[in-house]
Amino acid sequence: GTCVLLNVELDSPSPEEPPRITVRGARPLAEVHSAAQMLLTLEIDRAEALHELAALLPGGAPGRGEVRARLRTGTTAEPLLRLGRDFQLDGELVEQIAGIAGVHHVSLTARRAAGHLRLVA
């Protein structure tokens, strides 16, 4: 009954054969969720929507969930606000936020961490 993230390998030996998928590992989603850095982006065209958004955003681990909002003011330079980086973000929250009047183009993505690999000659 646990949802998991699968690490798989896709192999396509020839165009005539169907591709083969080999499962190389699995991790519970709860474990992945706590390790992932998430980015929530959205657009706001009503001031009242900011208050509703603030009431919905749950606190989380430091640096794990960033929220950025573009304020649709109708001017050429519409401000982009970072509302914070310490939120607990998930799909259910995105659905709730998308239901706020005046909030548009809500998107939740995982942020790629900076690589710690170096090219060595």
Side-chain angles (χ1 to χ4, degrees), residues 7-45:
N7 295 322
V8 299
E9 182 178 299
L10 179 63
D11 181 29
S12 182
S14 70
E16 296 82 34
E17 293 182 48
R20 293 182 284 203
I21 297 175
T22 305
V23 176
R24 297 291 181 198
R27 289 176 56 191
L29 274 182
E31 198 176 289
V32 174
H33 174 69
S34 64
Q37 293 181 346
M38 304 302 288
L39 173 63
L40 176 67
T41 57
L42 51 97
E43 296 177 1
I44 298 175
D45 63 13

Coordinates of all heavy atoms in Angstrom, one line a residue, residues 7-45:
N7 N 13.3 3.5 -10.0 CA 14.5 3.7 -10.9 C 14.5 2.6 -11.9 O 14.6 1.4 -11.5 CB 15.8 3.8 -10.1 CG 15.8 5.0 -9.2 OD1 15.3 6.0 -9.5 ND2 16.4 4.8 -8.0
V8 N 14.4 2.9 -13.2 CA 14.3 1.9 -14.2 C 15.3 2.1 -15.3 O 15.8 3.2 -15.5 CB 12.8 1.9 -14.8 CG1 11.8 1.6 -13.8 CG2 12.5 3.1 -15.5
E9 N 15.5 1.0 -16.0 CA 16.3 1.1 -17.2 C 15.5 0.6 -18.4 O 14.8 -0.4 -18.3 CB 17.5 0.1 -17.0 CG 18.5 0.1 -18.2 CD 19.7 -0.8 -17.8 OE1 20.4 -0.6 -16.9 OE2 19.8 -1.8 -18.6
L10 N 15.5 1.4 -19.5 CA 14.7 1.1 -20.7 C 15.7 0.6 -21.7 O 16.7 1.2 -22.0 CB 14.0 2.3 -21.2 CG 13.2 2.2 -22.4 CD1 12.1 1.2 -22.2 CD2 12.6 3.5 -22.9
D11 N 15.4 -0.6 -22.3 CA 16.2 -1.2 -23.3 C 15.4 -1.5 -24.5 O 14.3 -2.2 -24.4 CB 16.9 -2.5 -22.7 CG 17.8 -3.2 -23.7 OD1 18.4 -2.5 -24.6 OD2 17.9 -4.4 -23.7
S12 N 15.8 -1.1 -25.7 CA 15.1 -1.4 -26.9 C 16.1 -2.1 -27.9 O 16.8 -1.4 -28.6 CB 14.6 -0.1 -27.5 OG 13.8 -0.4 -28.7
P13 N 16.1 -3.4 -27.8 CA 17.1 -4.2 -28.6 C 16.9 -4.0 -30.1 O 17.9 -3.9 -30.9 CB 16.9 -5.6 -28.2 CG 15.7 -5.7 -27.4 CD 15.3 -4.3 -27.1
S14 N 15.7 -3.9 -30.6 CA 15.5 -3.7 -32.0 C 14.1 -3.0 -32.2 O 13.3 -3.1 -31.4 CB 15.6 -5.0 -32.8 OG 14.4 -5.8 -32.5
P15 N 13.9 -2.4 -33.4 CA 12.6 -1.8 -33.6 C 11.4 -2.7 -33.7 O 10.3 -2.4 -33.4 CB 12.8 -1.1 -35.0 CG 14.3 -1.0 -35.2 CD 14.9 -2.1 -34.4
E16 N 11.7 -4.0 -34.0 CA 10.6 -5.0 -34.1 C 10.2 -5.5 -32.7 O 9.0 -5.9 -32.6 CB 11.1 -6.2 -34.9 CG 11.4 -5.9 -36.4 CD 12.8 -5.3 -36.6 OE1 13.7 -5.7 -35.8 OE2 13.0 -4.4 -37.4
E17 N 11.1 -5.5 -31.7 CA 10.7 -6.0 -30.4 C 10.2 -4.8 -29.5 O 10.7 -3.7 -29.7 CB 11.9 -6.6 -29.7 CG 12.4 -7.8 -30.4 CD 13.6 -8.4 -29.6 OE1 13.5 -8.5 -28.4 OE2 14.6 -8.7 -30.3
P18 N 9.3 -5.1 -28.6 CA 8.8 -4.1 -27.7 C 10.0 -3.7 -26.7 O 10.8 -4.6 -26.4 CB 7.6 -4.7 -27.0 CG 7.8 -6.2 -27.1 CD 8.6 -6.4 -28.4
P19 N 10.0 -2.5 -26.2 CA 11.1 -2.2 -25.3 C 10.9 -2.9 -24.0 O 9.8 -3.4 -23.6 CB 10.8 -0.7 -25.0 CG 9.5 -0.4 -25.6 CD 9.1 -1.4 -26.5
R20 N 12.0 -3.2 -23.3 CA 12.0 -3.9 -22.0 C 12.4 -2.9 -20.9 O 13.3 -2.0 -21.1 CB 13.1 -5.0 -22.0 CG 12.7 -6.1 -23.0 CD 13.7 -7.2 -22.9 NE 14.9 -6.7 -23.6 CZ 15.8 -7.5 -24.2 NH1 15.7 -8.8 -24.0 NH2 16.8 -7.0 -24.8
I21 N 11.7 -3.0 -19.8 CA 11.9 -2.1 -18.7 C 12.4 -3.0 -17.5 O 11.8 -4.0 -17.2 CB 10.7 -1.4 -18.2 CG1 10.2 -0.4 -19.4 CG2 10.9 -0.6 -17.0 CD1 8.9 0.3 -19.1
T22 N 13.6 -2.6 -17.0 CA 14.1 -3.3 -15.8 C 14.1 -2.4 -14.6 O 14.6 -1.3 -14.7 CB 15.6 -3.8 -16.1 OG1 15.6 -4.5 -17.3 CG2 16.2 -4.6 -15.0
V23 N 13.5 -2.8 -13.5 CA 13.5 -2.0 -12.3 C 14.8 -2.2 -11.6 O 15.2 -3.3 -11.2 CB 12.3 -2.5 -11.4 CG1 12.3 -1.7 -10.1 CG2 11.0 -2.3 -12.1
R24 N 15.5 -1.1 -11.4 CA 16.8 -1.1 -10.7 C 16.7 -0.7 -9.2 O 17.7 -1.0 -8.5 CB 17.8 -0.1 -11.4 CG 18.1 -0.5 -12.8 CD 18.9 -1.8 -12.8 NE 19.2 -2.2 -14.2 CZ 19.6 -3.3 -14.6 NH1 19.7 -4.3 -13.7 NH2 19.9 -3.6 -15.8
G25 N 15.7 -0.1 -8.8 CA 15.5 0.3 -7.4 C 14.2 1.0 -7.2 O 13.5 1.4 -8.1
A26 N 13.8 1.1 -5.9 CA 12.6 1.8 -5.5 C 12.8 2.5 -4.2 O 13.5 1.9 -3.3 CB 11.5 0.8 -5.4
R27 N 12.1 3.6 -4.1 CA 12.2 4.4 -2.8 C 10.8 4.8 -2.5 O 10.0 5.3 -3.4 CB 13.1 5.6 -2.9 CG 14.5 5.3 -3.0 CD 15.4 6.5 -3.2 NE 15.2 7.5 -2.1 CZ 15.7 8.7 -2.2 NH1 16.4 9.1 -3.3 NH2 15.5 9.6 -1.3
P28 N 10.4 4.8 -1.2 CA 9.0 5.3 -0.9 C 8.9 6.8 -1.2 O 9.9 7.5 -1.0 CB 8.9 5.1 0.6 CG 10.0 4.0 0.9 CD 11.0 4.2 -0.1
L29 N 7.8 7.2 -1.8 CA 7.6 8.6 -2.1 C 7.7 9.5 -1.0 O 8.2 10.7 -1.1 CB 6.2 8.8 -2.8 CG 6.2 8.5 -4.3 CD1 4.8 8.8 -4.8 CD2 7.2 9.3 -5.1
A30 N 7.3 9.1 0.2 CA 7.5 10.0 1.4 C 9.0 10.3 1.6 O 9.3 11.4 2.0 CB 6.9 9.3 2.6
E31 N 9.8 9.4 1.4 CA 11.3 9.6 1.5 C 11.8 10.5 0.4 O 12.6 11.4 0.7 CB 12.0 8.3 1.4 CG 13.4 8.2 1.9 CD 13.9 6.8 1.8 OE1 13.4 5.9 2.6 OE2 14.8 6.6 1.0
V32 N 11.3 10.4 -0.8 CA 11.7 11.2 -1.9 C 11.2 12.6 -1.7 O 11.9 13.6 -1.9 CB 11.2 10.6 -3.2 CG1 11.5 11.6 -4.4 CG2 11.8 9.3 -3.5
H33 N 9.9 12.7 -1.3 CA 9.3 14.0 -1.1 C 10.1 14.9 -0.1 O 10.3 16.1 -0.3 CB 7.9 13.9 -0.6 CG 7.2 15.2 -0.2 ND1 6.9 16.1 -1.2 CD2 6.8 15.7 0.9 CE1 6.3 17.1 -0.6 NE2 6.3 16.9 0.7
S34 N 10.6 14.3 1.0 CA 11.3 15.0 2.0 C 12.7 15.4 1.5 O 13.3 16.4 2.0 CB 11.4 14.2 3.3 OG 12.2 13.1 3.0
A35 N 13.2 14.7 0.5 CA 14.6 15.1 0.0 C 14.5 16.0 -1.2 O 15.5 16.7 -1.5 CB 15.3 13.8 -0.4
A36 N 13.4 16.1 -1.9 CA 13.4 16.9 -3.1 C 13.2 18.4 -2.8 O 12.5 18.8 -1.8 CB 12.2 16.4 -4.0
Q37 N 13.8 19.2 -3.6 CA 13.6 20.7 -3.5 C 12.6 21.0 -4.6 O 12.8 20.7 -5.7 CB 14.9 21.4 -3.7 CG 15.9 21.2 -2.6 CD 17.2 22.0 -2.9 OE1 17.4 22.5 -4.0 NE2 18.0 22.1 -1.9
M38 N 11.5 21.6 -4.1 CA 10.4 21.9 -5.0 C 10.2 23.4 -5.3 O 10.6 24.2 -4.5 CB 9.1 21.4 -4.4 CG 9.1 19.9 -4.1 SD 9.4 18.8 -5.4 CE 7.9 18.9 -6.3
L39 N 9.7 23.7 -6.5 CA 9.5 25.1 -6.9 C 8.0 25.2 -7.4 O 7.6 24.5 -8.3 CB 10.4 25.5 -8.0 CG 10.2 26.9 -8.6 CD1 10.4 28.0 -7.6 CD2 11.1 27.1 -9.8
L40 N 7.3 26.1 -6.7 CA 5.9 26.4 -7.1 C 5.9 27.8 -7.7 O 6.3 28.7 -7.1 CB 5.0 26.3 -5.9 CG 3.5 26.7 -6.1 CD1 2.8 25.7 -7.0 CD2 2.8 26.9 -4.8
T41 N 5.4 27.8 -9.0 CA 5.3 29.1 -9.7 C 3.8 29.4 -10.0 O 3.1 28.4 -10.3 CB 6.2 29.2 -11.0 OG1 5.8 28.1 -11.8 CG2 7.6 29.1 -10.7
L42 N 3.5 30.6 -10.0 CA 2.1 31.0 -10.3 C 2.0 32.4 -10.7 O 3.0 33.2 -10.5 CB 1.2 30.7 -9.1 CG 1.6 31.2 -7.7 CD1 0.9 32.5 -7.4 CD2 1.3 30.2 -6.6
E43 N 0.8 32.8 -11.2 CA 0.5 34.2 -11.5 C -0.7 34.7 -10.7 O -1.6 33.9 -10.5 CB 0.3 34.3 -13.0 CG 1.4 34.0 -13.9 CD 1.1 34.1 -15.4 OE1 0.0 34.4 -15.7 OE2 2.1 33.8 -16.1
I44 N -0.6 35.9 -10.3 CA -1.7 36.5 -9.5 C -2.2 37.8 -10.1 O -1.3 38.6 -10.4 CB -1.2 36.7 -8.0 CG1 -0.8 35.4 -7.3 CG2 -2.3 37.4 -7.2 CD1 -0.2 35.6 -6.0
D45 N -3.5 37.9 -10.3 CA -4.0 39.2 -10.8 C -5.0 39.9 -9.9 O -5.6 40.8 -10.3 CB -4.6 38.9 -12.2 CG -5.8 38.0 -12.2 OD1 -6.4 37.7 -11.1 OD2 -6.2 37.5 -13.3

